C-alpha cells in the first residue's frame, strides 16, 4: 500500500509542473501537406451569404392568431376592469385585516375548523344545513328585491302614463 501511495503522490506532483510550448516559425508555414479548412470539415460549408427565411404559418398558428385578434377587445376590457377594481379590492382586504374584524371573525372560524377535525360527521351535517339555510335566505332576499323592483317600476310607468294624459 505504501508503494501505491508513493506513486500517486509522484503523479500528482508531476501534474503541478508547467511546460512551455513554442510555435513553429512562419517561414515554414505554407507546407505542401497543409489542408484548407473546408477539406477538414465533415460537412460542406455553403457558399455565399446565408439568408433567413421565415417558415409559413401552420393552420394551428393561424387559428390561434385569429382567436387572439377576436378576443383582444374582451381582454382589454378585462384588463381595464381589473385595473379599476384592484384598488377597491385592496382597500377591502386592508379593511378585512383590521383588528376588530379579526376579533369577530377569526376565532369562530378557527374553532369551527378545530371542531370539524374531531367531529367530522357533525361538521358535514352542520355545513349541509347551513348551506341549505343560506340558500333559502338568498332566495327569499331575491324574491323580496324582485317584488320591490316590480312594484316601483310599475308605479313609475303608471305615473308616466298618467302624466301623459294630464299634459294632453
Amino acid at each position: 500500500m505504501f508503494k501505491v501511495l508513493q506513486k500517486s503522490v509522484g503523479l500528482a506532483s508531476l501534474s503541478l509542473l508547467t511546460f512551455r510550448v513554442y510555435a513553429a516559425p512562419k517561414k515554414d508555414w505554407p507546407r505542401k501537406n497543409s489542408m484548407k479548412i473546408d477539406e477538414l470539415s465533415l460537412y460542406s460549408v455553403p457558399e455565399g451569404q446565408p439568408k433567413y427565411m421565415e417558415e409559413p404559418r401552420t393552420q394551428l398558428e393561424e387559428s390561434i392568431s385569429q382567436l387572439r385578434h377576436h378576443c383582444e377587445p374582451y381582454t382589454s376590457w378585462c384588463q381595464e376592469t381589473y385595473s379599476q377594481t384592484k384598488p377597491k379590492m385592496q382597500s377591502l382586504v386592508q379593511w378585512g385585516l383590521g383588528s376588530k374584524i379579526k376579533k369577530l371573525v377569526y376565532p369562530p372560524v378557527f374553532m369551527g375548523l378545530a371542531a370539524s377535525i374531531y367531529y367530522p360527521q357533525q361538521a358535514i351535517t352542520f355545513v349541509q344545513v347551513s348551506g341549505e339555510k343560506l340558500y333559502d335566505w338568498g332566495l327569499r332576499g331575491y324574491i323580496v328585491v324582485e317584488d320591490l323592483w316590480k312594484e316601483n317600476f310599475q308605479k313609475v310607468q303608471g305615473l308616466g302614463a298618467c302624466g301623459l294624459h294630464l299634459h294632453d
Side-chain angles (χ1 to χ4, degrees), residues 83-134:
S83 65
Q84 290 175 354
T85 57
K86 184 180 177 182
K88 295 174 185 174
M89 293 304 292
Q90 286 177 338
S91 65
L92 183 65
V93 167
Q94 289 299 324
W95 181 75
L97 296 176
S99 63
K100 290 180 183 178
I101 300 299
K102 284 182 184 178
K103 288 179 183 178
L104 292 174
V105 175
Y106 289 172
V109 170
F110 288 130
M111 287 179 2
L113 287 173
S116 68
I117 291 172
Y118 292 108
Y119 305 103
Q121 188 61 39
Q122 289 83 355
I124 291 171
T125 305
F126 176 77
V127 169
Q128 288 174 343
V129 171
S130 299
E132 290 172 3
K133 287 183 180 180
L134 285 174

Side-chain angles (χ1 to χ4, degrees), residues 11-76:
L11 291 175
S13 62
L14 285 177
S15 67
L16 298 175
L17 294 176
T18 58
F19 298 98
R20 291 188 183 190
V21 178
Y22 296 100
K26 287 191 175 188
K27 62 181 178 180
D28 294 339
W29 174 243
R31 294 184 182 172
K32 295 176 185 175
N33 298 350
S34 64
M35 299 176 76
K36 295 182 181 179
I37 295 175
D38 295 340
E39 294 173 349
L40 293 173
S41 178
L42 295 175
Y43 306 102
S44 61
V45 178
E47 293 183 19
Q49 294 293 327
K51 294 181 182 178
Y52 173 74
M53 294 186 66
E54 189 171 322
E55 293 182 19
R57 284 184 170 178
T58 63
Q59 182 65 30
L60 178 64
E61 291 173 332
E62 191 64 36
S63 299
I64 291 173
S65 175
Q66 289 175 358
L67 180 67
R68 281 179 150 175
H69 180 70
H70 290 299
C71 291
E72 197 255 330
Y74 303 109
T75 56
S76 63

Side-chain angles (χ1 to χ4, degrees), residues 1-14:
M1 181 165 150
F2 181 69
K3 290 183 181 181
V4 174
L5 183 63
Q6 189 177 17
K7 286 183 181 181
S8 63
V9 171
L11 291 175
S13 62
L14 285 177

